[in-house]
């Protein structure tokens, strides 16, 4: 007789582990006769992720957030026990602060827990300080229990390390970056396909995000990664910079397409082959194979005779492209050295000390502030309803759930509240049927444990895909809430009905606050962010003054830092809103057109960043004095166009833009030629001349990027975007 072992899928294993952890956590809490054992169930539900490292990281953040906010909650209760309005004011401000911090890049879940757990402790405790302390300690105990149980189960039963996924993702990211480099090299020579390059660019961004996520998890559950975590962190930043530098390189292709680069840069072919070979060797290192060769030192030579006959703007474009390629050379060499150190094939490298940036104080993010305002408003509406509406469904839990949902939505404002209706309705109906018809038939923990395990397994198995993580968490949370398992169990249809009504009222409040202080309709939000982008561009252009005589104040630096961050982050935010726009209801608009607008804005961002960088380079005083009036005229014209675009995104036409800007640049080139012709011998150094041409290329790049934006909006009917729709 031949016996074959049953092979379980990863999906089944993870569902079994979560179901087992949920059952054990409930069993221990009930055995200890703790009140509200479902808090332990919540901890299991919210930290169950794909790998052990990710789960442990999230569990640690949840536990730390619970401990910190326990102290904060007790302080609030001690200070404002007799004044509920001051109590609510400071509590809501604290929750708003936590919501703002959630929008940052680090420890988002920690701040989420700090916010909603503080509300839970404060609302459940009431004015009784003894009850408050007991609630706070119970919350910490049961959260710790759920985290401990799930951590032990995930470590001891079918542990899934993040290390293998991390290594695979690192290899895939390097492979995509190599393909992207080759694709851009073909585009620069006029042989590539822009659509293929765009697809590779999207893949690179996605894999970089996955790499960042898995690196944090691998540091926790993979000792080999933990040992060289600092080197991996340096490699991470260099890989991000490599992708961004290639994007900046791509943006210069339009200006050099008329140039014969093979003549102007005689060793371009061996230089490009060397970079390609380095990316290949990086792939070998990530595959744990020794490199076949070490990087060869390369410099991109210039044929001075050929360059000398070019126009000044062509010289500037060539200088920019050459600068980007040389920066790629530095980055690929640094990436190779980093991986050689990590994999044990080379010596440790020393990171260069970066120059300290000037301190400018707190610089707000407007979108994060708006999200915090919405959460505070939601909290106040729920609190006022609890006070003034007799018999409010859910009691204090109504405020708790409203804040938890509002904080979750603040990090993804593109998600409509209506998307929560279906999963919430299904969860309430299914959980209500179990609560009314199944649970009363159970007489021991054996039966109850089987029910807990079965329900948890079913939810985790059905919502196993990474994109279904919110559905899985919501389903588990609703089951835990509706089951209301405790040692003194009661069953009531009224409880289920009240829970359903509570969620309906919460969604109503969330729908109201979604329109405060302005609508979250995707096309409206897109237009609003578009206006902010151009206003920030206009301000930054106003700082490009060679005739600025007054000293730059701290306020000036603060404003510039704010607008630089706006210009840097708004294209990404616009890209997040774009897929949610209902283009079917907007005739003449397609998803491809929306993406083209976002791409053109990202190009303008890179060009303005280049202009800011080159502005700080030392320039020949002679050229500054000679060209000051002409540069000022160009700058004022660009500011005027940006100001019009901030009010009306369709305020320009491609050919009109090109005619006006090219005319000004042609005039500027004539002035440059005249200035250089009468410049005395040795008036400025070669370094100053190169800096000048790079600065000139940055000016030309801004003009070209604005023309590209106008071309991407030619066929979009912006008036439809502002029309009211129901």
């Amino acid at each position: 007789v031949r016996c074959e072992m049953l092979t379980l899928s990863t999906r089944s294993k993870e569902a079994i582990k979560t179901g087992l952890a949920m059952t054990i956590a409930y069993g221990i809490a009930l055995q200890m006769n703790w009140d509200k054992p479902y808090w332990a169930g919540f901890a299991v539900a919210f930290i169950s992720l794909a790998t052990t490292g990710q789960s442990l990281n999230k569990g640690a953040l949840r536990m730390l957030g619970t401990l910190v906010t326990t102290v904060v909650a007790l302080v609030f209760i001690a200070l404002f026990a007799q004044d509920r309005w001051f109590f609510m004011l400071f509590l809501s401000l604290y929750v708003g602060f936590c919501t703002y911090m959630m929008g940052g890049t680090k420890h988002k879940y920690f701040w989420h827990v700090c916010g909603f757990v503080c509300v839970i402790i404060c609302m459940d405790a009431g004015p009784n300080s003894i009850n408050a302390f007991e609630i706070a300690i119970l919350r910490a105990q049961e959260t710790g229990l759920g985290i401990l149980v799930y951590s032990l189960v995930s470590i001891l039963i079918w542990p899934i390390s993040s290390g293998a996924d991390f290594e695979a993702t690192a290899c895939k990211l390097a492979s995509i970056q190599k393909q992207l480099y080759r694709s851009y090299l073909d585009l620069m020579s006029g042989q590539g396909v822009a659509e293929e390059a765009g697809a590779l660019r999207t893949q690179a961004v996605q894999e970089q995000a996955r790499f960042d996520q898995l690196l944090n998890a691998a540091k926790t559950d993979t000792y080999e990664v933990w040992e060289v975590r600092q080197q991996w962190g340096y490699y991470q930043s260099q890989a991000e910079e490599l992708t961004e530098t290639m994007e900046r390189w791509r943006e210069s292709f339009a200006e050099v397409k008329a140039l014969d680069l093979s003549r102007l840069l005689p060793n371009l072919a061996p230089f490009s082959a060397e970079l390609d070979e380095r990316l290949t060797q990086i792939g070998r290192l990530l595959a744990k194979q020794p490199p076949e060769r070490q990087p060869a030192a390369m410099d991109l030579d210039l044929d001075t005779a050929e360059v000398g006959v070019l126009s000044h703007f062509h010289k500037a474009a060539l200088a920019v492209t050459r600068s980007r390629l040389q920066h790629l050379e530095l980055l690929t060499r640094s990436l190779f050295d980093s991986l050689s150190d990590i994999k044990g094939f080379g010596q440790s490298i020393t990171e260069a000390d970066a120059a300290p940036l000037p301190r400018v104080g707190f610089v707000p993010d407007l979108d994060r502030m708006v999200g915090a305002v919405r959460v505070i408003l939601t909290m106040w509406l729920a609190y006022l309803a609890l006070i003034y509406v007799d018999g409010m469904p859910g009691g204090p839990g109504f405020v708790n759930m409203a804040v938890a949902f509002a904080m979750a939505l603040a990090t993804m404002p593109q998600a409509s509240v209506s998307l929560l209706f279906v999963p919430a309705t299904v969860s309430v109906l299914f959980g209500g049927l179990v609560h009314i018809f199944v649970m009363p038939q159970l007489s021991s923990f054996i039966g109850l444990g089987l029910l807990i395990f079965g329900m948890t397994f079913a939810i985790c198995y059905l919502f196993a895909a990474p994109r279904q993580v919110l559905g899985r968490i919501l389903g588990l949370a609703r089951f835990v809430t509706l089951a209301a398992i405790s040692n003194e169990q009661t069953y009531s249809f009224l409880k289920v009905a009240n829970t359903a009504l509570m969620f309906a009222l919460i969604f109503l409040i969330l729908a109201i606050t979604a329109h405060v202080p302005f609508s979250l309709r995707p096309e409206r939000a897109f237009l609003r962010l578009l206006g902010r982008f151009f206003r920030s561009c206009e301000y930054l252009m106003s700082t490009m003054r060679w005739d600025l005589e007054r000293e730059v104040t701290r306020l000036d630096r603060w404003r510039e830092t704010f607008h630089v961050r706006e210009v840097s982050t708004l294209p990404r935010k616009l890209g997040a809103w774009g897929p949610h726009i209902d283009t079917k209801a907007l005739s003449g608009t397609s998803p491809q057109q929306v993406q083209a607008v976002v791409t053109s804005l990202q190009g303008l961002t890179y060009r303005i960043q280049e202009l800011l960088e080159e502005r700080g380079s030392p320039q020949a005083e002679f050229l500054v004095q000679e060209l000051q009036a002409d540069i000022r005229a160009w700058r004022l014209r660009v500011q005027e166009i940006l100001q019009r675009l901030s009010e009306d995104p369709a305020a320009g036409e491609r050919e009109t833009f090109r005619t006006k800007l090219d005319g000004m640049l042609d005039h500027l080139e004539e002035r440059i030629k005249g200035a250089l012709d009468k410049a005395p011998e040795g008036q400025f150094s070669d370094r100053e001349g190169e800096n000048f041409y790079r600065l000139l290329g940055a000016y030309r790049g801004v003009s070209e990027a604005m023309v590209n934006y106008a071309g991407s909006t030619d066929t979009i009917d912006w008036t439809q975007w502002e029309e009211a729709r129901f």
Side-chain angles (χ1 to χ4, degrees):
V1 179
R2 183 181 177 183
C3 297
E4 295 184 1
M5 294 182 62
L6 178 63
T7 302
L8 296 175
S9 64
T10 302
R11 182 180 185 180
S12 300
K13 290 178 180 178
E14 289 304 303
I16 291 173
K17 288 162 60 176
T18 306
L20 184 61
M22 185 78 75
T23 306
I24 294 174
Y26 263 111
I28 294 176
L30 292 172
Q31 180 65 32
M32 299 293 291
N33 200 27
W34 287 347
D35 193 18
K36 304 181 187 297
Y38 54 83
W39 281 350
F42 274 130
V44 172
F46 284 106
I47 71 168
S48 57
L49 295 175
T51 66
T52 302
Q54 289 174 308
S55 298
L56 292 177
N57 279 341
K58 195 170 184 181
L61 292 175
R62 188 177 182 90
M63 192 70 244
L64 180 61
T66 300
L67 293 176
V68 170
T69 203
T70 294
V71 177
V72 174
L74 292 177
V75 169
F76 282 155
I77 293 173
L79 292 176
F80 308 108
Q82 304 301 320
D83 194 327
R84 64 184 181 185
W85 298 116
F86 271 107
F87 170 77
M88 194 60 191
L89 174 63
F90 281 90
L91 178 59
S92 61
L93 290 176
Y94 169 77
V95 172
F97 169 75
C98 292
T99 303
Y100 182 88
M101 297 302 295
M102 281 176 61
T105 57
K106 292 185 177 181
H107 311 313
K108 297 181 180 181
Y109 190 62
F110 166 79
W111 291 109
H112 191 188
V113 172
C114 284
F116 78 81
V117 171
C118 187
V119 176
I120 290 174
I121 294 174
C122 289
M123 298 304 298
D124 285 3
N128 188 325
S129 58
I130 297 178
N131 188 37
F133 182 77
E134 291 178 350
I135 289 291
I137 296 302
L138 182 63
R139 180 76 190 191
Q141 282 180 329
E142 301 211 30
T143 299
L145 171 64
I147 293 171
L148 177 62
V149 169
Y150 185 83
S151 299
L152 290 175
V153 169
S154 63
I155 291 173
L156 299 176
I157 303 177
W158 299 311
I160 300 179
S161 171
S162 304
D165 285 346
F166 169 69
E167 295 282 355
T169 301
C171 290
K172 187 174 181 180
L173 174 61
S175 175
I176 292 174
Q177 287 180 326
K178 183 173 73 172
Q179 295 176 55
L180 188 62
Y181 168 75
R182 290 176 174 175
S183 178
Y184 284 173
L185 199 61
D186 291 338
L187 282 176
M188 188 176 68
S189 63
Q191 301 174 356
V193 180
E195 290 74 14
E196 293 180 3
L200 287 171
R201 182 169 63 250
T202 302
Q203 291 181 47
V205 172
Q206 293 172 345
E207 288 303 317
Q208 184 70 57
R210 179 167 169 77
F211 176 88
D212 297 347
Q213 181 185 29
L214 287 173
L215 175 58
N216 291 329
K219 289 178 184 178
T220 301
D221 63 14
T222 307
Y223 181 70
E224 292 79 3
V225 177
W226 169 258
E227 279 189 309
V228 288
R229 61 193 181 279
Q230 293 181 345
Q231 292 91 324
W232 273 120
Y234 183 62
Y235 176 87
Q236 176 188 22
S237 63
Q238 293 295 92
E240 291 176 354
E241 188 176 353
L242 177 65
T243 302
E244 181 178 340
T245 302
M246 285 196 288
E247 285 306 298
R248 292 190 177 196
W249 173 40
R250 178 186 63 84
E251 290 295 330
S252 67
F253 292 169
E255 289 89 57
V256 298
K257 63 182 179 181
L259 303 180
D260 187 350
L261 295 178
S262 61
R263 287 199 308 160
L264 297 167
L265 305 171
N267 67 334
L268 177 60
F271 182 91
S272 303
E274 171 63 22
L275 297 191
D276 185 86
E277 182 60 28
R278 289 181 189 178
L279 293 172
T280 300
Q281 297 306 314
I282 286 173
R284 286 183 59 84
L285 287 169
L286 286 169
K288 301 181 180 179
Q289 299 175 2
E292 297 175 333
R293 60 186 291 273
Q294 295 292 317
M298 293 288 290
D299 190 21
L300 195 55
D301 298 331
L302 277 174
D303 188 325
T304 54
E306 292 287 345
V307 173
V309 300
L310 296 178
S311 69
H312 294 295
F313 280 112
H314 280 158
K315 289 179 183 178
L318 181 64
V320 171
T321 300
R322 180 171 178 262
S323 174
R324 295 301 169 213
L325 285 169
Q326 289 181 318
H327 191 50
L328 286 176
E329 192 273 337
L330 291 174
L331 285 173
T332 51
R333 190 194 315 164
S334 178
L335 285 168
F336 182 92
D337 291 341
S338 297
L339 279 176
S340 296
D341 184 29
I342 291 171
K343 300 299 181 180
F345 296 114
Q347 299 296 323
S348 299
I349 60 173
T350 303
E351 301 176 27
D353 294 331
L357 298 175
R359 299 178 65 88
V360 294
F362 171 71
V363 180
D365 185 302
L366 297 182
D367 298 293
R368 290 164 61 183
M369 292 183 69
V370 169
V373 169
R374 285 200 178 95
V375 172
I376 292 173
L377 179 59
T378 300
M379 186 173 178
W380 272 96
L381 290 177
Y383 185 67
L384 292 174
L386 177 65
I387 292 177
Y388 293 109
V389 178
D390 189 28
M392 194 68 186
F398 178 74
V399 181
N400 301 341
M401 296 301 297
V403 171
F405 274 109
M407 291 185 71
L409 289 173
T411 60
M412 44 181 182
Q414 301 85 7
S416 173
V417 178
S418 60
L419 296 178
L420 300 175
F421 291 169
V422 174
T425 302
V426 172
S427 299
V428 169
L429 290 176
F430 191 63
L433 292 174
V434 171
H435 176 79
I436 295 171
F437 296 105
V438 178
M439 291 186 64
Q441 311 303 320
L442 305 177
S443 58
S444 67
F445 184 75
I446 295 177
L448 179 62
L450 290 174
L451 173 67
I452 295 172
F453 179 86
M455 291 292 297
T456 305
F457 176 89
I459 294 171
C460 293
Y461 188 83
L462 293 174
F463 296 91
R467 64 179 181 275
Q468 297 175 308
V469 62
L470 288 178
R472 181 174 74 249
I473 291 175
L474 183 60
L476 290 173
R478 296 291 69 74
F479 164 69
V480 169
T481 302
L482 286 168
I485 298 171
S486 65
N487 279 321
E488 298 180 1
Q489 193 74 45
T490 58
Y491 307 101
S492 170
F493 170 77
L494 201 56
K495 175 180 175 57
V496 177
N498 282 338
T499 301
L501 181 58
M502 178 184 72
F503 282 113
L505 294 174
I506 288 174
F507 292 152
L508 176 61
I509 291 177
L510 293 175
I512 293 173
T513 56
H515 293 81
V516 178
F518 37 71
S519 172
L520 288 179
R521 204 175 84 187
E523 54 267 33
R524 291 285 184 86
F526 195 94
L527 289 174
R528 188 167 55 251
L529 295 180
L530 201 58
R532 276 173 47 193
F533 176 84
F534 286 119
R535 283 192 291 273
S536 291
C537 289
E538 179 194 0
Y539 176 82
L540 292 177
M541 290 303 302
S542 72
T543 67
M544 308 290 180
R545 290 176 286 185
W546 280 351
D547 57 343
L548 187 63
E549 296 180 356
R550 67 181 180 85
E551 183 181 356
V552 178
T553 65
R554 178 180 289 270
L555 178 61
D556 292 330
R557 289 196 298 269
W558 183 89
R559 292 181 65 188
E560 182 174 347
T561 303
F562 170 78
H563 288 289
V564 165
R565 192 168 70 178
E566 285 279 273
V567 170
S568 301
T569 58
L570 282 172
R572 184 174 65 251
K573 294 176 181 179
L574 286 162
W577 280 102
H580 295 271
I581 295 175
D582 185 9
T583 54
K584 295 180 180 179
L586 303 170
S587 60
T589 303
S590 66
Q592 292 76 18
Q593 289 174 311
V594 175
Q595 183 57 45
V597 172
V598 174
T599 302
S600 67
L601 293 176
Q602 185 63 70
L604 182 55
T605 293
Y606 289 143
R607 295 306 199 171
I608 289 181
Q609 288 174 339
E610 288 175 2
L611 193 54
L612 289 170
E613 293 167 3
E614 298 302 335
R615 181 190 59 177
S617 302
Q619 304 293 330
E621 186 65 26
F622 171 77
L623 292 175
V624 171
Q625 294 299 327
E626 287 291 324
L627 303 174
Q628 180 173 293
D630 301 280
I631 293 293
R632 181 175 182 273
W634 175 87
R635 174 178 58 80
L636 291 176
R637 181 58 178 162
V638 170
Q639 284 182 240
E640 178 189 346
I641 294 173
L642 290 170
Q643 193 273 334
R644 288 171 53 203
L645 289 174
S646 68
E647 298 174 355
D648 179 10
E653 197 269 332
R654 183 188 182 105
E655 293 307 319
T656 303
F657 271 15
R658 184 174 294 280
T659 301
K660 292 180 179 180
L661 293 174
D662 284 357
M664 296 186 68
L665 289 173
D666 290 341
H667 173 72
L668 181 58
E669 185 168 357
E670 290 297 323
R671 292 283 295 114
I672 292 170
K673 183 178 179 181
L676 293 177
D677 287 342
K678 66 179 183 180
E681 185 71 21
Q683 185 70 39
F684 52 88
S685 65
D686 292 341
R687 176 66 181 277
E688 288 176 332
E690 184 179 349
N691 290 342
F692 171 74
Y693 279 119
R694 283 208 302 266
L695 179 64
L696 190 60
Y699 280 122
R700 179 61 179 262
V702 170
S703 298
E704 191 66 33
M706 293 174 64
V707 172
N708 290 338
Y709 166 78
S712 69
T713 61
D714 278 348
T715 58
I716 297 179
D717 184 2
W718 294 104
T719 57
Q720 291 188 14
W721 291 46
E722 299 178 349
E723 294 175 353
R725 289 192 291 112
F726 302 97

